[in-house]
């Protein structure tokens, strides 16, 4: 039994060609897009044009180098113990029960009993404020405000490190979250060795430079001139002469570390 | 086989084309992120790429098919209204095969023809409209033939559109899976490195998020075109209903 309609319907139900071709076109287009993404110059596909170098540190090189206390807690400029005189404490007194009144003379009456005179309840327990407090003996040590002068004046600490520095004026550090203070200590001492601090004028030069990951000092520039070419040049010379520092610590993630270093000359 | 070859090519283009990232620099561009990512992330991306390619293939194919069907339906309706004989219309059907109305017409015409031929003692090869006043035995049978044909036509138009709905609903989840996997790996790295600084966390998470982006990239066109194509199919179904009623009217007027 074959209906004439069925043949036509079966014929119509077949899928026309074209699907395979479109699939091929689509796959081709996807491959082209992916390949273009992969092969295009690296500069085009970064959406963030170039990571700005992070300004991490402001370090000042000032005065003579102080005592080196690498890795240890500096003892200067700490509150020290001071003897404080004890304020006089009043010795607490026990509360006395009220004096018992002398009974009046009364004619003894066989049946009457004298009414109690006192309405105060008998004290059996001392109040809380009078609980036995032993008075202190001797003097008490407390944190004072006096400073112990150890010869080392305030240093510029890199997160817990002192690098010393005499003179004590204008030593400052503005550290970002740089991981490794030891490295900065090394850097400052290496640069100070190459720095002729004693010029004929006083002034301050702010230098800016970058430490590459392998420790090279690059991009040296005078950020704020002292006004004297000699001072600027001496600072620049110190950086150029130092040239190579130890490689940046592995814990620091960026490719380079930008440092602002101030060179302070005091005649 | 052919598609398999394409997969391999796509994979090569993805993995091999990326330049090795500079050792010291932490770059954030897509390709180096993909190149550094794990095998799971790469295979998730590959699956999403295949889904996207197949669904775009279906989209292009369906758009092309519907446009052809629409154009040919217009021509067919014009021819149908202009001509006075069904046999004339039947002769143009071959060239307008993409139109769903042609399927309807052919089915109804076959049914009509067989009824008239039976009635006229089956003179072979004679067109239906030639006998002096031929009458139909049953108009219902013609109606049923039209219904059957329209079911088949709608099924043919809708074929493979469902894949778009599937793509739209599962590719975001596949991408999410890739992201979750990547973030798990990133946390493991944080644990191993022992520090939670942004420098350790961020690249892993950026890498993981690419999978979600790829999932959305595959899903969004699929959602849009699924709705678009379904709307088209509805319009076609309406046109087919309209045409079958028109045909029935003509048949009733001429053959009863």
């Amino acid at each position: 039994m074959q209906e004439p309609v069925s043949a036509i319907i079966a014929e119509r139900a077949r899928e026309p060609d074209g699907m395979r071709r479109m699939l091929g076109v689509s796959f081709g287009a996807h491959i082209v897009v992916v390949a273009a993404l992969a092969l295009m110059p690296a500069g085009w596909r970064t959406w963030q044009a170039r990571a700005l170098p992070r300004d991490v540190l402001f370090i000042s090189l000032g005065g003579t180098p102080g005592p080196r206390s690498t890795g240890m807690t500096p003892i200067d400029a700490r509150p020290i113990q001071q003897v404080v005189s004890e304020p006089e404490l009043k010795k607490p007194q026990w509360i006395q029960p009220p004096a018992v009144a002398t009974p009046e003379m009364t004619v003894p009456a066989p049946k009457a009993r004298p009414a109690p005179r006192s309405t105060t309840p008998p004290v059996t327990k001392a109040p809380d404020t009078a609980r036995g407090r032993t008075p202190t003996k001797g003097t008490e040590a407390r944190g004072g405000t006096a400073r112990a002068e150890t010869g080392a004046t305030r240093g510029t600490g890199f997160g817990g490190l002192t690098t010393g520095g005499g003179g004590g004026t204008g030593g400052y550090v503005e550290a970002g979250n740089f991981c490794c203070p030891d490295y900065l200590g090394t850097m400052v001492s290496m640069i100070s060795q190459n720095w002729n601090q004693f010029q004929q004028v006083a002034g301050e030069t702010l230098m800016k430079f970058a430490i590459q990951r392998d420790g090279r000092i690059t991009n040296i520039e005078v950020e704020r001139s002292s006004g004297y070419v000699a001072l600027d040049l001496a600072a620049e010379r110190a950086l150029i002469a130092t040239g190579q520092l130890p490689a940046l610590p592995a814990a620091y993630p960026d490719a380079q570390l930008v440092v602002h270093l101030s060179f302070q000359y005091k005649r | 086989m052919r598609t398999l070859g394409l997969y391999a090519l796509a994979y090569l283009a993805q993995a091999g084309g990326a330049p090795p990232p500079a050792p010291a620099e932490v770059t954030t561009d897509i390709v180096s992120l993909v190149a550094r990512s794990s095998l799971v992330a790469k295979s998730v991306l590959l699956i999403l790429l295949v889904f996207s390619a197949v669904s775009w293939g279906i989209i292009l194919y369906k758009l092309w098919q519907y446009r052809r069907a629409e154009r040919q339906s217009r021509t067919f309706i014009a021819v149908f209204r202009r001509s006075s004989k069904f046999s004339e219309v039947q002769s143009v059907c071959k060239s307008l095969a993409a139109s769903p109305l042609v399927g309807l017409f052919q089915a109804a015409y076959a049914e009509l023809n067989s009824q008239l031929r039976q009635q006229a003692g089956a003179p072979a090869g004679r067109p239906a409209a030639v006998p002096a006043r031929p009458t139909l035995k049953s108009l219902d049978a013609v109606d049923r033939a039209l219904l059957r044909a329209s079911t088949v036509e709608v099924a043919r138009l809708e074929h493979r559109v469902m894949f778009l709905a599937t793509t739209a609903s599962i590719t975001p989840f596949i991408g999410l899976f890739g992201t979750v996997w990547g973030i798990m790996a990133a946390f493991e790295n944080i644990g191993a490195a022992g520090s939670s600084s942004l420098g350790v966390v961020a690249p892993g998470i950026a890498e993981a998020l690419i999978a979600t982006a790829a999932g959305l990239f595959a899903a969004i066109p699929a959602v849009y075109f699924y709705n678009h194509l379904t709307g088209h199919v509805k319009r076609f179904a309406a046109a087919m209903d309209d045409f079958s009623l028109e045909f029935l009217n003509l048949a009733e007027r001429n053959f009863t």
Side-chain angles (χ1 to χ4, degrees):
Chain A
M1 256 327 247
Q2 172 80 7
E3 247 215 304
V5 181
S6 296
I8 285 170
I9 283 177
E11 207 262 331
R12 292 284 302 176
R14 273 192 299 126
E15 173 133 22
D17 287 344
M19 182 69 203
R20 292 186 72 99
R21 204 179 64 198
M22 289 300 181
L23 268 185
V25 167
S26 168
F27 267 99
H30 275 72
I31 288 168
V32 165
V33 167
V34 169
L37 259 180
L39 298 179
M40 77 165 82
W44 292 5
R45 48 179 193 236
T46 41
W47 44 71
Q48 144 200 1
R50 187 155 295 282
L52 293 169
R54 292 212 312 223
D55 291 354
V56 175
L57 297 169
F58 280 89
I59 300 167
S60 122
L61 275 184
T64 51
R68 302 192 57 177
S69 56
T70 312
M72 306 214 288
T73 316
I75 105 157
D76 63 317
R78 288 268 170 136
I80 56 168
Q81 290 202 329
Q82 184 188 25
V83 174
V84 187
S85 61
E86 187 82 17
E88 276 303 315
L89 286 177
K90 259 171 78 179
K91 196 174 176 184
Q93 301 290 315
W94 289 91
I95 292 181
Q96 303 292 329
V100 182
T102 324
E104 288 166 22
M105 288 297 285
T106 47
V107 179
K111 281 189 186 160
R113 300 185 63 176
R117 287 293 162 93
S118 170
T119 53
T120 321
V123 175
T124 55
K125 203 176 117 197
D128 281 345
T129 49
R131 199 65 61 74
R133 215 183 115 193
T134 321
T136 49
K137 299 185 177 64
T139 52
E140 186 188 1
R142 288 190 185 170
T145 49
R147 304 278 161 189
E149 294 302 330
T150 59
T153 38
R154 287 184 91 115
T156 51
F158 301 115
L161 249 196
T162 6
T163 54
T169 54
Y172 62 96
V173 163
E174 280 177 30
N177 54 350
F178 184 66
C179 58
C180 314
D182 302 12
Y183 182 81
L184 295 180
T186 316
M187 179 197 82
V188 168
S189 71
M190 284 180 76
I191 292 174
S192 346
Q193 281 169 15
N194 292 314
W195 180 40
N196 182 6
Q197 186 190 349
F198 303 104
Q199 306 291 331
Q200 293 307 307
V201 284
E204 180 182 350
T205 303
L206 186 62
M207 300 295 292
K208 179 184 174 190
F209 61 94
I211 305 174
Q212 300 301 317
R213 184 143 277 284
D214 57 2
R216 276 180 302 114
I217 294 181
T218 56
N219 304 341
I220 301 170
E221 54 186 88
V222 179
E223 194 171 20
R224 197 172 62 231
S225 170
S226 61
Y228 300 100
V229 180
L231 302 191
D232 298 350
L233 283 179
E236 198 170 341
R237 199 175 299 127
L239 293 176
I240 293 173
T242 307
Q244 178 74 42
L245 291 169
L248 285 176
Y252 180 66
D254 288 4
Q256 60 173 11
L257 172 69
V258 176
V259 179
H260 304 262
L261 193 52
S262 130
F263 292 77
Q264 294 176 354
Y265 301 88
K266 354 183 133 299
R267 297 223 35 186
Chain B
M1 259 355 268
R2 186 172 133 204
T3 40
L4 267 183
L6 286 178
Y7 293 0
L9 228 170
Y11 187 73
L12 278 182
Q14 226 174 15
E25 270 170 80
V26 182
T27 50
T28 52
D29 77 272
I30 304 179
V31 177
S32 53
L33 278 181
V34 170
R36 265 186 288 136
S37 58
S38 65
L39 194 66
V40 174
K42 272 180 188 153
S43 47
V44 162
L45 287 181
L46 189 66
I47 290 171
L48 291 176
L49 194 75
V50 169
F51 261 103
S52 171
V54 172
S55 64
W56 269 106
I58 290 172
I59 288 167
L60 291 178
Y61 169 64
K62 282 290 160 185
L63 285 178
W64 171 77
Q65 185 193 3
Y66 289 176
R67 171 173 303 190
R68 247 169 51 117
E70 243 166 32
R71 203 176 319 132
Q72 297 196 3
S73 290
R74 269 203 301 278
T75 319
F76 177 78
I77 286 284
V79 170
F80 181 78
R81 299 219 170 112
R82 224 182 15 245
S83 61
S84 53
K85 286 183 194 159
F86 283 165
S87 54
E88 268 178 42
V89 181
Q90 172 73 2
S91 64
V92 299
C93 279
K94 266 272 180 290
S95 60
L96 300 177
S99 164
L101 303 185
V102 168
L104 260 66
F105 175 79
Q106 281 181 326
Y109 183 70
E111 174 66 30
L112 212 70
N113 239 355
S114 72
Q115 280 194 30
L116 295 178
R117 208 176 291 156
Q118 270 178 1
Q119 190 202 33
R126 268 172 76 181
V130 169
R133 187 63 188 169
T135 50
L136 276 180
K137 213 188 318 181
S138 144
L139 202 61
D140 281 351
V142 180
D143 192 12
R144 275 195 293 275
L146 282 167
L147 254 182
R148 281 182 67 189
S150 78
T151 318
V152 167
E153 291 297 331
V154 167
R156 199 171 72 120
L157 289 170
E158 270 183 345
H159 191 53
R160 293 182 203 277
V161 175
M162 289 307 144
F163 184 84
L164 296 185
T166 310
T167 302
S169 51
I170 72 172
T171 49
F173 289 120
I174 296 176
L176 191 64
F177 167 75
T179 296
V180 168
W181 194 269
I183 287 184
M184 270 157 55
F187 276 125
E188 256 166 42
N189 287 345
I190 294 168
S195 95
S196 63
S197 77
L198 212 55
V200 179
V201 183
I205 289 178
E207 186 186 303
L209 286 176
I210 283 186
T212 303
L216 295 179
F217 178 78
I220 290 169
V223 173
Y224 174 77
F225 281 104
Y226 175 73
N227 290 333
H228 183 81
L229 296 177
T230 319
H232 258 283
V233 170
K234 274 189 189 142
R235 280 213 295 285
F236 278 124
M240 281 188 278
D241 282 349
D242 179 56
F243 176 76
S244 48
L245 293 178
E246 187 177 347
F247 188 93
L248 280 177
N249 259 357
L250 268 182
E252 192 170 9
R253 204 177 307 138
N254 290 337
F255 300 113
T256 50

